[in-house]
Amino acid sequence: MDSDSSHPERRVRVASPEAVPFLLVPEPLLPDVEHPCRIPVKDVEEAEFLAAVLQEHCGLYLGTRASEFPALADWADATPLGVRVGDAWKRDPPENVSALLSRIPVRNPVSEGRQAFSEAEQARPLARIDPVLVHKRDPANVLLANACRVGALQQFNCFTESPEFIFDHPSGHVQGMLLTELARQASIAAIHGVGLPLDWSLIMTRLSLEFRRFVRNDVPIIIRTFVSFRLPEWAEPVRSVGKRSRMWIAVQGWQEDTFCFSGLIGALSAKEAS
């Protein structure tokens, strides 16, 4: 079986764990498989979503026990790898979308930029992303830095101060309003990152956040997003009129390899009037 991750016709199933940076593995096989970024899956539904998120960077490994997982084997052998950029995840988000995304290690061999928590990484300067990507005019109001993408999963480092947010007392943790703005900016940047033209507007229709623990001011934050909407990055935008498109965005915030908060955002995109 062809395990070359750059091959456009590669199927999801791989012949060896070393073939891909992220390895999807049925839960019963986990004790028998060595891999730095192994991700447990229970069924085809979970594997299909994670393959859509990680795209060419992942594969499903069954080894010599494929006969024990016929549904996963049949799906993986019949399915070209993931939902590629240019296609959309046309379903509603899985009920356990946050739990599924949290299985993907933050520390991984694909991430670029300041995406780790070591002292050496923390000493590197943060490079803010372009303000236009988060619909801001003043760069000081941009809270995201060092963007990178792993398949369709986009990651950013974060600032925890902005002139737009003035709080009436000091705090040892990042306030909820600022975390909400982080989620909003990450969603907008992620949508533009997968093809939404910059002259299109974004209308938020839903926002829900769940906070699992306090987010500290003195520890780097990584925010990650997966967007259901994509346009081809290699072609002109396929929508040239003001037609609205619905989408959803899953958001997660991490500190020191700990999952701190998550969110789900619904939105409409529409071309701005000229």
Side-chain angles (χ1 to χ4, degrees):
M1 178 173 291
D2 184 5
S3 61
D4 180 2
S5 63
S6 65
H7 196 287
E9 297 302 322
R10 179 167 78 80
R11 305 298 175 177
V12 174
R13 187 174 170 189
V14 294
S16 66
E18 297 79 18
V20 286
F22 296 90
L23 196 68
L24 307 181
V25 183
E27 287 185 339
L29 295 187
L30 285 176
D32 302 328
V33 179
E34 293 292 333
H35 192 277
C37 293
R38 58 182 186 171
I39 302 172
V41 293
K42 294 180 180 179
D43 51 34
V44 170
E45 184 178 2
E46 290 190 352
E48 188 173 21
F49 177 73
L50 289 165
V53 173
L54 293 167
Q55 297 188 2
E56 72 274 16
H57 301 293
C58 81
L60 176 75
Y61 179 70
L62 301 174
T64 59
R65 297 173 60 182
S67 61
E68 300 177 30
F69 311 96
L72 279 167
D74 290 346
W75 166 77
D77 288 340
T79 305
L81 191 66
V83 176
R84 296 182 177 276
V85 170
D87 297 323
W89 181 260
K90 297 181 180 179
R91 309 173 203 170
D92 291 335
E95 291 185 3
N96 60 339
V97 59
S98 186
L100 289 173
L101 292 176
S102 67
R103 296 179 194 175
I104 302 172
V106 173
R107 297 174 189 261
N108 62 70
V110 184
S111 294
E112 302 169 355
R114 185 176 174 272
Q115 299 290 335
F117 301 107
S118 67
E119 291 185 6
E121 291 288 345
Q122 292 181 37
R124 294 174 58 189
L126 292 177
R128 296 180 195 268
I129 66 173
D130 191 329
V132 72
L133 294 175
V134 291
H135 301 177
K136 295 292 183 183
R137 293 188 177 91
D138 186 348
N141 294 328
V142 177
L143 297 176
L144 305 179
N146 297 35
C148 80
R149 193 172 74 209
V150 180
L153 184 71
Q154 300 193 63
Q155 300 188 173
F156 307 89
N157 285 106
C158 305
F159 293 93
T160 58
E161 294 183 356
S162 168
E164 289 187 303
F165 291 84
I166 306 298
F167 299 100
D168 66 358
H169 64 278
S171 175
H173 65 271
V174 183
Q175 289 86 346
M177 288 296 294
L178 197 140
L179 293 176
T180 301
E181 174 64 7
L182 270 175
R184 191 193 71 85
Q185 288 194 20
S187 298
I188 295 172
I191 291 166
H192 286 309
V194 293
L196 185 71
L198 293 175
D199 62 345
W200 281 49
S201 61
L202 196 67
I203 306 162
M204 189 177 297
T205 59
R206 172 186 177 186
L207 170 64
S208 62
L209 294 177
E210 178 184 358
F211 300 99
R212 293 172 171 241
R213 61 187 67 233
F214 285 117
V215 178
R216 294 166 51 188
N217 282 319
D218 59 342
V219 177
I221 302 171
I222 289 175
I223 194 162
R224 312 201 297 185
T225 63
F226 173 77
V227 183
S228 66
F229 167 81
R230 286 190 277 289
L231 287 172
E233 295 178 315
W234 57 86
E236 292 297 321
V238 297
R239 295 182 178 91
S240 59
V241 295
K243 180 180 178 181
R244 292 185 175 183
S245 176
R246 292 185 178 274
M247 68 193 76
W248 56 266
I249 310 101
V251 182
Q252 289 188 327
W254 291 74
Q255 282 190 315
E256 295 182 323
D257 289 340
T258 300
F259 178 28
C260 298
F261 68 95
S262 63
L264 194 62
I265 295 171
L268 294 172
S269 64
K271 185 175 177 61
E272 296 179 356
S274 56

